[in-house]
Amino acid sequence: MKTGIVGASGYSGEVLLSLLLDHPHISLTTVTSRSLVGQSVESVFPSLRNRGKGLVFSASDPEELATNTDLDLVFLALPHGVASEYAIPLCKAGKKVIDLSADFRLSSPEIYEEYYGHPHPYPEWLEKSAYVIPEIAPSGWKDKQLIAAPGCYPTSILVPLLPLFKESVIGTKGIIINSMSGVSGAGKKLAEDFLYCERNESAKAYGLVKHRHLSEIEEQLSLSAGTEVVVQFTPHLSPMNRGIVTTIVVPHAANSIEQVYNTWKLAYEDKPFVSVLESGTTPDSKWVCQTNRVDFSAVYDPRTENLIITFAEDNQMTGAAGQDIQIMNLWNGFDETAGLV
Amino acid sequence: MKTGIVGASGYSGEVLLSLLLDHPHISLTTVTSRSLVGQSVESVFPSLRNRGKGLVFSASDPEELATNTDLDLVFLALPHGVASEYAIPLCKAGKKVIDLSADFRLSSPEIYEEYYGHPHPYPEWLEKSAYVIPEIAPSGWKDKQLIAAPGCYPTSILVPLLPLFKESVIGTKGIIINSMSGVSGAGKKLAEDFLYCERNESAKAYGLVKHRHLSEIEEQLSLSAGTEVVVQFTPHLSPMNRGIVTTIVVPHAANSIEQVYNTWKLAYEDKPFVSVLESGTTPDSKWVCQTNRVDFSAVYDPRTENLIITFAEDNQMTGAAGQDIQIMNLWNGFDETAGLV
Amino acid sequence: MKTGIVGASGYSGEVLLSLLLDHPHISLTTVTSRSLVGQSVESVFPSLRNRGKGLVFSASDPEELATNTDLDLVFLALPHGVASEYAIPLCKAGKKVIDLSADFRLSSPEIYEEYYGHPHPYPEWLEKSAYVIPEIAPSGWKDKQLIAAPGCYPTSILVPLLPLFKESVIGTKGIIINSMSGVSGAGKKLAEDFLYCERNESAKAYGLVKHRHLSEIEEQLSLSAGTEVVVQFTPHLSPMNRGIVTTIVVPHAANSIEQVYNTWKLAYEDKPFVSVLESGTTPDSKWVCQTNRVDFSAVYDPRTENLIITFAEDNQMTGAAGQDIQIMNLWNGFDETAGLV
Amino acid sequence: MKTGIVGASGYSGEVLLSLLLDHPHISLTTVTSRSLVGQSVESVFPSLRNRGKGLVFSASDPEELATNTDLDLVFLALPHGVASEYAIPLCKAGKKVIDLSADFRLSSPEIYEEYYGHPHPYPEWLEKSAYVIPEIAPSGWKDKQLIAAPGCYPTSILVPLLPLFKESVIGTKGIIINSMSGVSGAGKKLAEDFLYCERNESAKAYGLVKHRHLSEIEEQLSLSAGTEVVVQFTPHLSPMNRGIVTTIVVPHAANSIEQVYNTWKLAYEDKPFVSVLESGTTPDSKWVCQTNRVDFSAVYDPRTENLIITFAEDNQMTGAAGQDIQIMNLWNGFDETAGLV
């Protein structure tokens, strides 16, 4: 299987490259970046030295890529709005596409426009694509040609909540979600706010009250609940490179803790990258960093009648590159854990 | 005014020492610690070198301290349960006492026992003492002999919420509170969990669902609301030395944002250490670190009808030593900001 | 005494502002920045909220400043090459100037050009100015009108070495200096290399073999030794906001440790910001952070016959703003420690 | 090949476990720890969840291990002095042993006693063992039964220097070495000095002037130079979990830079984990973290006639567990990179 990455200049691109270079079932033939043309992968990412297999960044014209016979599957690591300009020609040329951007995450072009500020460029392709978190992907997703990989926060919210919604174990109203993320979640952005001295020894909330990821979170929650779900989502920055910790408070959850665990057990028992911790054990982002695993657990608070779910993932693995590899593995019939730990 | 610190071996003790050594209106005559007897303040805390004024740690017998004529006011930086053994003799001897422990923070001995695991040793003293966050202290507190300084988290919750409760601007049900704290909040504890490599590059929730500070948070909220208030409080650790950021979600807050700001304005307009940020500006713990100031703001989310309050403080200043100095200043008629920035 | 800061938009500018706002003997009348005109100090630096005294950034025309009657003393926090364009008119107008840039640190215009890449714009002013590290300043410096404050690394090298050179306690050949600096030393630079995720969890040497500070280090060492001194200086970045730790290896130092300590004692006994630690106690940058104090000590290694000096300072205090205040204090007859800890 | 780890409770043990669990050519049959008996690997190290293959810590009696038929090769992750008590019986029973402690790193029992404070318990075994850094191991090492893996600092010094000494490219006198290490290098030690708040935002030198690793550094340098070599080695702590950066200054190195590079090329051209950077490119510990690769380069300073070598490794990979796996691979004829990146 010949694969390529379009736009691999950022933090997720680097992790994706690293995973693909060592993947047992594919060969990485093409790496493109408008700003890095002609530079070797090893010189751009010194962490990959001695492992870059001579790969050099090339230019990234969509039509040219579409006719590239050395490409069966392409990862798009491009900004929102740009990704779709590559995705469509590649799909039309018969190639499989895993898109890391938000361009095909939503089924509603209206909500896309509301959250991303411009009309969706290819609304007719929204139903030809699937939004895939591997553990909770819709049946039939493997028949699509275009897979939208989720944002980093949504996985930490959808994995614990979706099975509970599907089985009506918890109510859908009044859910409050707080997340803490490492700084790499913002990407390699040259902004004063992301300088070392600004983020080090600092914590803060941001993205109130309508972070872009909220759109995909609510769409997926609503789909699984069969009713419109509205949640309060507040992300925070924490001074660390990687990791997301999410705390979800579900009100009016009296007596549901056992059902919660039973539902999770049924949904995730055989999933290699899911680890449901016993009630009372709170996950630590450190435990999952550098892995594609997620850890989560729940406690019930009889005083407030709330269920509190806490969740940890590596935002660069489960929240980005690791999950992308997992999608590729499942899509192509490889072992789900191939190339991942 | 002659002051002393009993038990100044930890992180808050060090900051308290630093502030008292430079305070313009007091002289620091006595510093005690069972484990540091005979050692100079400068040798124990190298950060205070050239500033220690020859102070040496002495033994800390309560009766001896009670008869010490070089002491008008004493700060107790002792573990819960131990502090009261010093507080009572000192108070009886006519000295003013500011207690940093939890021993006199609650008015109910039953709740003390529920949260701290042993009967309150001096329940009759609970009404002779006052729980004081300077900005929202009960009238008459200056006539008490014993002041209980609050825990680090409660200030970040009570300062924004209490005026709103008093004026019935928001409801009291279903409030969800999440905090992120720097690691110094746990004190100088020799436990594997607080080793550098464990906390660095790590975030996690802890203390679910009944962190000890919850007891004082709920008591104060209930007092100001005039009804029993139950909240969901989930603290988190963030990899930084100092700082607390708290995010509070208040449900069913339709149309109250203007009233919220008006109420805060009335309550805090002339408070030197309170900074109410305009709606949409989210505070950063970095902005207040090394200061005794608190920053907070609120936004209203019309989709959820929730009010979201975000708050930042330095847990070692406002959350501990800085606030203690502020209490001393007000209690003794000094300028409120004396010795503080 | 009316003071101003020209160009206070960076990290050192912020600390300088903070110190001047609370200084007991001066009033801060003017703060300029080309990029921040019209913005209040409090809005630009949220850390200064409630303390900014209404100060607003103004434009910074040299001639206008020269005629500003609200300015007796001006701090220049400008880039190399730009500072001198302000310094000369201000000096000519009779104002005292403390220049934080490198423009007047060197006495040789040739070496200036070698290290800074352009001819010195005002070579005739080099002898009208003085390079001042307060503890080791040349006699007569107070009569100059223009003071060049040193770079952050030089203080950590010159304070321990200069008295030893003056007294010929150690030789001048083969000295090897390694420094570790916090990231704020690089200033508030929008470069990928200074993004949080690049510097966090990273250590590296940089600036080999001719870091700009080497020019002033060697000039001062040569002046005090009375012979040309050449040293090996290798700076390193350490993932922390503040702090410099310097390790100096002096060869052929047999039997000099006692003399070293005697010399330091004579030179620094009455200096409020110098703390000479006993041999065997190694300073920690944490001990001096947020203070203007420096800590250092030496050990002799009989196996190698080397003397090893280790030194710690806060690069934003002793290495920048704190030292600037100290210079102002001494220059104007204030108490040396006024406004500093 | 059946392998085991004795004493795997610390940071290096955890990384070693992680690497062995996924190694393609061995099965990990036994993991012992006196303090963790009966606990599962997954419960002790949450980072290994879903990967622990049911392994449970067992007791660690040397004789019992010696007769364990499920063990062909054993890694000893034990304290100095304890390791040898296991090594000898295991070797006598015909098992291969890779010892991570210092017990067999030195060939001289006198120097062992000088640096480790007690007589060597099995001096007769010193010549039956080999000190192995894979890239520069002595010929014949594979015939030994007992391999001493090096300390974390020595690799960063010996890899760049040894070939230069062997080929007499540089002199052996007056070499000055400074290293910066992440905090995990100290192990999982419950000491105040290693608490998060002590190490965070702190840099310092330590271990002056006779750090234990100096003994193996000087012995190996002397062996390769054919003359007694004495160096100045000063380690420093940097606030990060992992990584070592070493800066070596070699005096009197006029005109040797080309020879240096030629020598390194000959020695390391085909080594998969060595990356010699071009002169002027300074390595960053971040580039090699989570890999078993080392990066280094050199520059010549014509002003001082010094050669400056800078080097980076991951102290938990190349400096510990990664190198141990590499030794196992080579010793047993596996591909050198098996199970490593």
Side-chain angles (χ1 to χ4, degrees):
Chain A
M1 174 133 238
K2 296 168 188 162
T3 67
I5 311 177
V6 177
S9 62
Y11 292 130
S12 298
E14 183 174 358
V15 181
L16 192 54
L17 259 166
S18 175
L19 293 170
L20 287 172
L21 282 167
D22 275 356
H23 196 283
H25 303 318
I26 63 102
S27 73
L28 181 61
T29 61
T30 310
V31 184
T32 85
S33 162
R34 281 168 295 188
S35 58
L36 303 170
V37 176
Q39 298 185 51
S40 74
V41 158
E42 293 198 7
S43 68
V44 171
F45 297 118
S47 67
L48 300 177
R49 236 176 237 141
N50 289 15
R51 296 176 51 213
K53 301 182 176 169
L55 277 171
V56 172
F57 282 97
S58 60
S60 58
D61 178 63
E63 299 309 326
E64 201 178 340
L65 287 167
T67 59
N68 185 334
T69 55
D70 261 357
L71 279 179
D72 303 314
L73 184 152
V74 180
F75 294 90
L76 301 179
L78 294 164
H80 312 312
V82 179
S84 52
E85 292 169 25
Y86 285 77
I88 310 306
L90 286 164
C91 284
K92 285 185 173 163
K95 298 181 192 310
K96 289 178 168 181
V97 172
I98 297 176
D99 178 15
L100 283 63
S101 87
D103 279 2
F104 300 95
R105 287 180 188 160
L106 300 170
S107 62
S108 156
E110 291 74 28
I111 292 181
Y112 181 89
E113 186 167 355
E114 180 187 344
Y115 277 83
Y116 290 90
H118 55 89
H120 195 284
Y122 300 93
E124 70 280 12
W125 275 83
L126 291 179
E127 57 189 42
K128 298 182 191 169
S129 59
Y131 178 87
V132 174
I133 294 175
E135 283 77 9
I136 48 182
S139 64
W141 72 269
K142 292 182 191 172
D143 301 330
K144 308 277 181 175
Q145 238 187 311
L146 173 50
I147 304 299
C152 53
Y153 288 118
T155 301
S156 75
I157 294 159
L158 298 174
V159 166
L161 287 186
L162 247 60
L164 305 181
F165 273 18
K166 274 190 189 144
E167 304 300 324
S168 302
V169 176
I170 55 171
T172 62
K173 292 202 187 308
I175 292 177
I176 311 293
I177 304 165
N178 280 265
S179 291
M180 299 161 69
S181 174
V183 182
S184 66
K188 205 185 270 185
K189 231 178 266 166
L190 261 194
E192 191 175 303
D193 213 29
F194 297 109
L195 290 178
Y196 180 83
C197 293
E198 301 299 317
R199 296 274 50 81
N200 187 38
E201 295 297 288
S202 155
K204 68 165 186 179
Y206 76 102
L208 287 70
V209 295
K210 251 178 126 177
H211 188 281
R212 284 175 164 184
H213 286 176
L214 184 58
S215 57
E216 49 183 294
I217 292 165
E218 289 188 342
E219 180 170 290
Q220 294 298 317
L221 290 177
S222 299
L223 282 171
S224 66
T227 179
E228 201 194 338
V229 178
V230 173
V231 299
Q232 192 71 55
F233 170 58
T234 311
H236 300 72
L237 282 179
S238 192
M240 53 192 195
N241 279 5
R242 290 177 166 204
I244 283 181
V245 163
T246 291
T247 298
I248 304 171
V249 177
V250 181
H252 312 304
N255 301 319
S256 64
I257 184 81
E258 209 175 321
Q259 267 181 288
V260 165
Y261 270 83
N262 286 339
T263 307
W264 282 344
K265 196 177 172 185
L266 278 171
Y268 297 129
E269 200 162 24
D270 59 344
K271 301 295 183 188
F273 294 120
V274 176
S275 168
V276 180
L277 314 184
E278 59 186 16
S279 186
T281 300
T282 313
D284 186 324
S285 69
K286 175 180 293 293
W287 296 345
V288 293
C289 266
Q290 307 284 342
T291 85
N292 196 48
R293 202 184 72 235
V294 300
D295 284 359
F296 56 97
S297 66
V299 289
Y300 174 67
D301 185 347
R303 298 171 62 261
T304 58
E305 299 195 343
N306 292 329
L307 182 80
I308 300 107
I309 299 170
T310 50
F311 185 103
E313 70 175 31
D314 181 340
N315 65 310
Q316 292 295 336
M317 290 290 291
T318 311
Q323 196 171 66
D324 301 333
I325 299 292
Q326 191 184 353
I327 291 170
M328 178 186 76
N329 287 344
L330 291 169
W331 203 5
N332 294 286
F334 306 150
D335 183 86
E336 186 170 356
T337 64
L340 294 168
V341 174
Chain B
M1 175 133 237
K2 297 165 188 165
T3 67
I5 310 177
V6 177
S9 62
Y11 291 130
S12 299
E14 182 174 358
V15 181
L16 191 55
L17 258 166
S18 175
L19 293 170
L20 286 172
L21 282 167
D22 276 356
H23 196 284
H25 303 319
I26 62 101
S27 73
L28 181 61
T29 62
T30 311
V31 184
T32 86
S33 161
R34 281 168 296 188
S35 58
L36 303 170
V37 176
Q39 298 185 50
S40 74
V41 157
E42 293 198 6
S43 68
V44 170
F45 296 118
S47 67
L48 301 177
R49 239 177 234 139
N50 289 16
R51 298 175 51 213
K53 301 182 178 171
L55 277 171
V56 172
F57 282 98
S58 59
S60 58
D61 179 64
E63 299 309 327
E64 202 179 338
L65 287 167
T67 59
N68 185 334
T69 56
D70 261 358
L71 280 178
D72 302 316
L73 184 151
V74 180
F75 294 90
L76 301 179
L78 294 165
H80 312 311
V82 178
S84 52
E85 292 169 26
Y86 285 76
I88 309 307
L90 285 164
C91 284
K92 284 185 174 164
K95 297 180 193 311
K96 289 178 168 182
V97 172
I98 298 175
D99 179 16
L100 282 64
S101 88
D103 279 2
F104 301 95
R105 286 180 189 161
L106 300 170
S107 62
S108 156
E110 290 75 28
I111 293 182
Y112 181 89
E113 186 167 354
E114 179 187 344
Y115 277 83
Y116 290 91
H118 55 88
H120 196 286
Y122 301 93
E124 72 279 11
W125 274 82
L126 292 177
E127 58 188 41
K128 298 183 190 169
S129 59
Y131 178 87
V132 173
I133 293 175
E135 284 77 10
I136 48 182
S139 65
W141 72 269
K142 293 182 190 171
D143 301 330
K144 307 277 180 174
Q145 236 188 309
L146 173 50
I147 304 299
C152 53
Y153 289 118
T155 301
S156 76
I157 295 159
L158 298 174
V159 166
L161 287 185
L162 247 60
L164 305 181
F165 273 17
K166 274 192 190 143
E167 304 300 323
S168 303
V169 175
I170 56 172
T172 62
K173 291 200 187 308
I175 292 177
I176 311 293
I177 304 165
N178 281 265
S179 291
M180 299 162 70
S181 174
V183 182
S184 65
K188 204 184 273 185
K189 230 179 266 166
L190 261 195
E192 192 175 302
D193 213 29
F194 297 109
L195 290 178
Y196 179 84
C197 292
E198 301 299 318
R199 296 273 49 81
N200 186 38
E201 295 297 289
S202 155
K204 68 166 186 178
Y206 76 102
L208 287 70
V209 294
K210 248 176 129 177
H211 187 282
R212 283 175 165 185
H213 286 175
L214 184 58
S215 57
E216 49 183 295
I217 293 166
E218 290 189 343
E219 180 170 290
Q220 294 298 318
L221 289 177
S222 299
L223 283 170
S224 66
T227 179
E228 202 194 336
V229 178
V230 173
V231 298
Q232 193 71 55
F233 169 58
T234 311
H236 301 72
L237 282 178
S238 192
M240 53 191 194
N241 280 5
R242 288 178 168 204
I244 283 181
V245 163
T246 291
T247 297
I248 304 171
V249 177
V250 181
H252 313 304
N255 301 318
S256 63
I257 184 82
E258 208 175 323
Q259 267 181 289
V260 165
Y261 270 84
N262 286 340
T263 307
W264 282 344
K265 196 178 171 187
L266 278 171
Y268 297 129
E269 200 163 22
D270 60 344
K271 300 296 183 188
F273 293 120
V274 176
S275 168
V276 179
L277 314 184
E278 60 186 15
S279 186
T281 299
T282 312
D284 186 323
S285 69
K286 175 181 293 293
W287 296 345
V288 293
C289 266
Q290 307 284 342
T291 85
N292 196 48
R293 203 185 70 233
V294 299
D295 283 0
F296 55 98
S297 66
V299 289
Y300 174 68
D301 185 347
R303 298 172 63 262
T304 58
E305 298 194 346
N306 292 328
L307 182 81
I308 301 106
I309 299 170
T310 51
F311 185 102
E313 70 175 31
D314 181 340
N315 65 309
Q316 292 295 336
M317 289 293 288
T318 311
Q323 196 171 66
D324 301 332
I325 298 291
Q326 190 184 353
I327 291 170
M328 179 186 75
N329 287 345
L330 291 169
W331 203 5
N332 294 286
F334 306 151
D335 183 87
E336 185 170 358
T337 64
L340 295 167
V341 175
Chain C
M1 175 134 237
K2 295 166 188 164
T3 68
I5 311 177
V6 177
S9 62
Y11 292 130
S12 299
E14 182 174 358
V15 181
L16 192 54
L17 259 165
S18 175
L19 293 170
L20 286 172
L21 282 167
D22 275 356
H23 196 283
H25 303 318
I26 62 102
S27 72
L28 181 61
T29 61
T30 310
V31 184
T32 86
S33 162
R34 281 168 295 190
S35 59
L36 302 171
V37 175
Q39 298 185 49
S40 74
V41 158
E42 293 199 6
S43 67
V44 171
F45 297 118
S47 67
L48 301 177
R49 236 175 239 141
N50 289 15
R51 297 177 49 213
K53 299 180 179 172
L55 277 171
V56 172
F57 283 97
S58 60
S60 58
D61 179 63
E63 299 308 327
E64 199 179 341
L65 287 167
T67 58
N68 185 335
T69 56
D70 261 356
L71 280 179
D72 303 314
L73 184 152
V74 179
F75 294 89
L76 301 179
L78 294 164
H80 312 312
V82 178
S84 53
E85 291 170 27
Y86 285 77
I88 310 307
L90 285 164
C91 284
K92 285 186 174 163
K95 299 180 193 309
K96 290 179 167 180
V97 172
I98 297 176
D99 179 15
L100 282 64
S101 87
D103 279 1
F104 300 95
R105 288 180 187 160
L106 300 169
S107 63
S108 155
E110 290 75 27
I111 293 182
Y112 181 90
E113 186 167 354
E114 180 188 345
Y115 277 83
Y116 290 91
H118 55 90
H120 195 284
Y122 300 93
E124 71 279 13
W125 274 82
L126 290 178
E127 58 188 41
K128 298 183 192 169
S129 59
Y131 177 87
V132 174
I133 294 176
E135 284 76 11
I136 48 181
S139 65
W141 71 269
K142 293 183 190 170
D143 301 331
K144 307 279 181 174
Q145 237 188 311
L146 174 49
I147 304 300
C152 53
Y153 289 118
T155 302
S156 75
I157 295 160
L158 298 174
V159 165
L161 288 186
L162 247 61
L164 305 181
F165 273 18
K166 273 190 190 144
E167 304 300 325
S168 303
V169 175
I170 56 172
T172 63
K173 291 199 187 309
I175 292 177
I176 312 292
I177 303 165
N178 281 265
S179 291
M180 298 161 70
S181 174
V183 181
S184 66
K188 205 185 272 185
K189 231 179 267 166
L190 261 195
E192 191 175 303
D193 214 27
F194 297 109
L195 290 178
Y196 179 84
C197 293
E198 301 300 316
R199 297 273 49 81
N200 186 38
E201 294 297 289
S202 155
K204 68 165 187 180
Y206 75 101
L208 286 67
V209 295
K210 250 178 126 176
H211 187 281
R212 285 176 164 185
H213 287 175
L214 184 58
S215 57
E216 48 182 297
I217 293 165
E218 289 189 343
E219 180 170 288
Q220 294 298 319
L221 290 177
S222 300
L223 283 171
S224 66
T227 180
E228 201 194 337
V229 178
V230 173
V231 299
Q232 193 71 52
F233 170 58
T234 311
H236 301 72
L237 282 179
S238 191
M240 53 192 194
N241 279 5
R242 290 177 166 205
I244 283 181
V245 163
T246 291
T247 298
I248 304 170
V249 177
V250 181
H252 314 303
N255 301 319
S256 64
I257 184 81
E258 208 175 323
Q259 268 181 285
V260 165
Y261 270 84
N262 287 339
T263 308
W264 282 344
K265 196 179 171 184
L266 279 170
Y268 296 130
E269 201 163 23
D270 60 344
K271 300 296 184 189
F273 293 119
V274 177
S275 168
V276 180
L277 313 184
E278 59 186 16
S279 186
T281 299
T282 313
D284 185 323
S285 69
K286 175 181 293 292
W287 296 345
V288 294
C289 265
Q290 306 285 342
T291 85
N292 196 48
R293 202 184 72 233
V294 300
D295 283 359
F296 55 98
S297 66
V299 289
Y300 174 68
D301 184 348
R303 299 171 62 260
T304 58
E305 299 194 346
N306 292 329
L307 182 80
I308 300 107
I309 299 170
T310 51
F311 185 101
E313 70 175 30
D314 180 340
N315 65 309
Q316 293 294 337
M317 289 292 290
T318 310
Q323 195 171 67
D324 301 332
I325 298 292
Q326 190 185 354
I327 291 170
M328 179 186 76
N329 287 344
L330 292 168
W331 203 3
N332 293 287
F334 306 150
D335 183 87
E336 186 170 356
T337 64
L340 295 168
V341 174
Chain D
M1 174 133 238
K2 295 167 189 163
T3 67
I5 310 176
V6 178
S9 62
Y11 292 130
S12 299
E14 181 174 359
V15 181
L16 191 54
L17 259 166
S18 175
L19 294 170
L20 287 173
L21 282 167
D22 275 356
H23 197 283
H25 303 318
I26 63 102
S27 73
L28 181 60
T29 62
T30 310
V31 184
T32 85
S33 163
R34 280 168 298 189
S35 59
L36 302 171
V37 176
Q39 298 185 49
S40 73
V41 158
E42 293 198 7
S43 67
V44 170
F45 296 119
S47 67
L48 301 177
R49 235 175 238 142
N50 289 14
R51 297 177 50 214
K53 300 180 178 171
L55 277 171
V56 172
F57 282 98
S58 59
S60 58
D61 178 63
E63 299 309 326
E64 201 179 341
L65 287 167
T67 59
N68 185 335
T69 55
D70 262 357
L71 281 179
D72 303 316
L73 184 152
V74 180
F75 294 90
L76 301 180
L78 294 164
H80 312 311
V82 178
S84 53
E85 292 170 25
Y86 285 77
I88 310 308
L90 286 164
C91 285
K92 286 185 174 164
K95 299 180 192 309
K96 289 180 167 179
V97 173
I98 298 176
D99 179 15
L100 282 63
S101 87
D103 280 1
F104 300 94
R105 287 180 188 160
L106 300 170
S107 63
S108 156
E110 291 75 27
I111 293 182
Y112 181 89
E113 186 168 353
E114 180 187 344
Y115 277 83
Y116 290 90
H118 55 89
H120 196 286
Y122 300 93
E124 70 279 13
W125 274 82
L126 291 177
E127 56 189 42
K128 298 182 191 169
S129 59
Y131 177 88
V132 173
I133 293 176
E135 284 76 11
I136 48 181
S139 65
W141 71 269
K142 293 182 190 170
D143 301 331
K144 307 277 181 174
Q145 235 187 312
L146 174 48
I147 304 300
C152 53
Y153 289 117
T155 301
S156 76
I157 294 160
L158 298 174
V159 165
L161 288 186
L162 246 61
L164 305 181
F165 273 17
K166 273 191 189 142
E167 305 299 326
S168 302
V169 175
I170 55 172
T172 62
K173 291 200 187 311
I175 292 178
I176 310 292
I177 304 164
N178 281 265
S179 292
M180 299 161 71
S181 174
V183 181
S184 65
K188 205 185 272 185
K189 231 180 266 166
L190 262 195
E192 191 175 302
D193 214 27
F194 297 109
L195 290 178
Y196 180 83
C197 293
E198 301 299 316
R199 297 273 50 80
N200 186 38
E201 294 298 287
S202 155
K204 68 165 187 180
Y206 75 101
L208 286 69
V209 293
K210 250 178 127 175
H211 187 281
R212 285 176 163 183
H213 287 175
L214 185 57
S215 56
E216 48 183 295
I217 293 165
E218 289 189 343
E219 180 170 290
Q220 294 298 318
L221 290 177
S222 300
L223 282 171
S224 66
T227 179
E228 202 195 338
V229 178
V230 173
V231 298
Q232 193 72 53
F233 169 57
T234 311
H236 300 72
L237 282 179
S238 192
M240 53 192 194
N241 279 5
R242 289 177 167 205
I244 282 181
V245 163
T246 291
T247 297
I248 304 171
V249 178
V250 181
H252 313 302
N255 302 320
S256 64
I257 184 81
E258 208 175 322
Q259 267 181 287
V260 165
Y261 269 84
N262 287 339
T263 307
W264 283 343
K265 195 177 172 186
L266 279 172
Y268 297 129
E269 201 162 23
D270 59 344
K271 301 296 183 188
F273 293 121
V274 176
S275 168
V276 179
L277 314 184
E278 59 186 16
S279 186
T281 299
T282 313
D284 186 323
S285 69
K286 175 181 294 292
W287 297 344
V288 293
C289 266
Q290 306 285 343
T291 85
N292 195 49
R293 203 185 72 235
V294 300
D295 283 0
F296 56 97
S297 66
V299 290
Y300 175 67
D301 185 347
R303 298 171 63 259
T304 58
E305 300 194 345
N306 292 328
L307 182 80
I308 301 106
I309 299 170
T310 50
F311 185 102
E313 70 175 31
D314 181 341
N315 65 310
Q316 292 294 338
M317 289 292 289
T318 311
Q323 195 171 67
D324 301 332
I325 298 292
Q326 191 184 353
I327 291 170
M328 178 186 75
N329 287 344
L330 292 168
W331 203 4
N332 293 286
F334 307 149
D335 183 87
E336 185 170 357
T337 64
L340 294 167
V341 175

